[in-house]
Amino acid sequence: SKQYFFKQFFAGAFTMIAMTGLDQDMMQRNLSCKNFKDSQKNMITSVISQFFVILLFLMLGVLLYIFAANQQIAVEKSDELFPLIATGNYFPAIVGILFIIGLISSAYSAAGSALTALTTSFTVDILGTKGKSEETVVKMRKKVHIGMAVVMGITIFVFNLLNNTSVHRCCIYPGKLYLRSYLGSVCFRHSSMKQQVRDKYIPLVAIASPVLCFILQKNSEAWFGGYQFSYELLIFNALFTFIGLCLLIRKDKKNN
């Protein structure tokens, strides 16, 4: 079963590891600490606070589903439950207004940090800023920022067209833009700090890993006696990425 406890438990742990590394806000909180000890304290306090926040959201979800069942509200996608109730005629208008304001503020915060990270990475790592004047770099960064915003907008529309379940599941499964090879690359870097790899082949590994996961998911029941992959597919994606990067290690003198 996809709902088997240990699948959900280990998959959840690895998902949190990947999300912490991918979330610029979480990383910046740790990087802003004065020293390593303060960073550890920050991680512990964040875990405690997030536990109660997630608990409140779970309680809200349960109450919303109970309310929807009592009102005989049909909900096709879990992501539609809250907006459907908040913007319907079930509560005063102020509830819908507060919902829209809260949604915009939270989405803008997340999108803003993601756009900043994407813009910086693309400008510095791909286009390059060495030897260019500050004025040129600023103009280039603004153009990249607009381009990334357009790409993000297109991605949202594609998600809306392809998604037949919740957004979170859409991010996890390979058939729905499953691109979580980040975890495997981080594990490789931490375990092989001095190893140099053939950089030009890394994109192939990043693409091959989710493709292999997609094949596993589609054939798992036939190949493994009825086994169904759930979110633990993330662990296999990381494993494939790690193995792929190991195969790309350069054997020249630079690694000696």
Side-chain angles (χ1 to χ4, degrees):
S1 171
K2 293 182 179 180
Q3 305 301 323
Y4 184 58
F5 172 78
F6 287 105
K7 288 183 183 181
Q8 299 290 318
F9 179 80
F10 288 110
F14 278 86
T15 299
M16 286 305 300
I17 293 172
M19 288 303 297
T20 300
L22 286 168
D23 195 315
Q24 189 190 31
D25 294 334
M26 292 183 180
M27 289 190 293
Q28 290 297 332
R29 284 206 299 266
N30 288 328
L31 293 173
S32 62
C33 295
K34 294 181 179 180
N35 49 56
F36 181 69
K37 190 174 182 179
D38 286 344
S39 180
Q40 289 179 315
K41 291 179 181 179
N42 175 63
M43 290 290 291
I44 295 173
T45 54
S46 295
V47 168
I48 295 173
S49 62
Q50 285 296 313
F51 173 81
F52 290 103
V53 171
I54 294 173
L55 182 63
L56 288 173
F57 272 103
L58 287 173
M59 292 171 61
L60 174 62
V62 171
L63 291 173
L64 286 174
Y65 270 106
I66 293 174
F67 180 82
N70 290 335
Q71 296 293 324
Q72 297 182 344
I73 302 173
V75 181
E76 295 181 1
K77 301 178 183 178
S78 59
D79 293 333
E80 296 177 350
L81 175 62
F82 186 41
L84 185 64
I85 294 177
T87 58
N89 297 321
Y90 308 102
F91 294 108
I94 187 63
V95 175
I97 295 173
L98 291 175
F99 164 73
I100 294 173
I101 294 174
L103 182 63
I104 293 174
S105 61
S106 60
Y108 186 82
S109 174
S113 61
L115 278 175
T116 301
L118 289 170
T119 300
T120 302
S121 178
F122 190 85
T123 303
V124 176
D125 299 327
I126 297 179
L127 298 181
T129 57
K130 291 183 179 180
K132 298 179 181 178
S133 64
E134 182 65 24
E135 184 179 354
T136 302
V137 173
V138 170
K139 291 181 179 180
M140 182 170 60
R141 188 170 64 243
K142 289 181 179 179
K143 292 179 180 179
V144 172
H145 193 75
I146 294 173
M148 288 297 175
V150 173
V151 171
M152 184 174 288
I154 294 174
T155 302
I156 292 171
F157 281 109
V158 172
F159 265 66
N160 185 60
L161 291 174
L162 297 180
N163 190 22
N164 57 3
T165 179
S166 68
V167 171
H168 186 249
R169 291 174 64 88
C170 184
C171 294
I172 291 292
Y173 279 92
K176 306 288 176 60
L177 304 178
Y178 176 58
L179 299 174
R180 293 291 185 91
S181 303
Y182 174 86
L183 181 57
S185 63
V186 171
C187 293
F188 173 82
R189 180 48 57 194
H190 281 296
S191 61
S192 308
M193 292 298 291
K194 296 182 179 180
Q195 299 290 351
Q196 298 295 321
V197 298
R198 297 177 177 86
D199 293 341
K200 62 180 179 180
Y201 296 113
I202 291 179
L204 295 178
V205 174
I207 295 173
S209 297
V211 170
L212 288 173
C213 288
F214 178 76
I215 296 173
L216 272 179
Q217 182 198 14
K218 289 297 182 181
N219 300 279
S220 63
E221 293 187 50
W223 290 354
F224 308 118
Y227 185 92
Q228 298 181 42
F229 276 104
S230 183
Y231 294 115
E232 80 277 11
L233 202 59
L234 170 66
I235 303 174
F236 286 87
N237 190 22
L239 179 63
F240 293 147
T241 304
F242 185 89
I243 294 174
L245 292 175
C246 288
L247 296 175
L248 295 181
I249 293 177
R250 297 168 61 178
K251 302 297 184 180
D252 52 26
K253 296 181 179 179
K254 292 182 180 181
N255 282 327
N256 297 329

